[in-house]
Structure formats: C-alpha cells, structure tokens
Amino acid sequence: MQRHDHSPETWLDEADRKRLAAALAGAREARVYRRLEALLLVAEGHSMAEAARRCRVNRSSVHRWLAQYRAEQ
C-alpha cells in the first residue's frame, strides 16, 4: 500500500481515523458507507484520487465530503 503525504487541508489525525472507522462499522446506508470509506482511506494516507477510484465516485465528491467533515469537527 502506497502512502501519500497529506496537504494541510486533507490532514486527518488518529482521532479522526478512529471516529471514521467506528462510524463506518455502524453505517447502514450505502451512500453513507461510501462517504465514510472514502474519508477513512484519505485518513489512512491514500490520495483523494485513489480514495475516489476505490469508492467509485468522482474526486470532487471526496473533496466536498472532506470539506464537510472538517467543517463539522
């Protein structure tokens, strides 16, 4: 697995990773699961492009989801 450096706007810490993993485990809707999975992949060090590819969504969706997540924290 290749790791990527995070830019400041995408950086998520260990607490974020734990929070996202716990939420992912409890997700019941496919759209929520996909969103959490993409954010967790970014938190684990994958690029946004890789997270988008693996979750089969557009990169802009991952960017938007990350911005929303950061705004809520």
Side-chain angles (χ1 to χ4, degrees):
M1 173 173 60
Q2 186 176 13
R3 297 284 192 182
H4 298 275
D5 290 333
H6 291 297
S7 61
E9 65 273 6
T10 63
W11 190 79
L12 298 169
D13 62 17
E14 186 62 27
D16 291 313
R17 284 189 283 279
K18 288 179 181 179
R19 190 170 21 259
L20 288 165
L24 184 63
R28 299 290 175 245
E29 296 179 39
R31 67 181 186 84
V32 173
Y33 186 93
R34 184 173 34 248
R35 179 179 296 196
L36 292 168
E37 183 179 28
L39 291 176
L40 184 58
L41 286 167
V42 171
E44 290 175 343
H46 295 278
S47 69
M48 288 212 200
E50 175 65 10
R53 186 190 66 74
R54 290 175 70 173
C55 295
R56 299 176 186 211
V57 298
N58 194 297
R59 271 188 327 203
S60 64
S61 295
V62 179
H63 282 277
R64 187 176 65 252
W65 296 339
L66 182 62
Q68 289 169 346
Y69 176 80
R70 303 273 304 172
E72 292 172 2
Q73 297 306 311

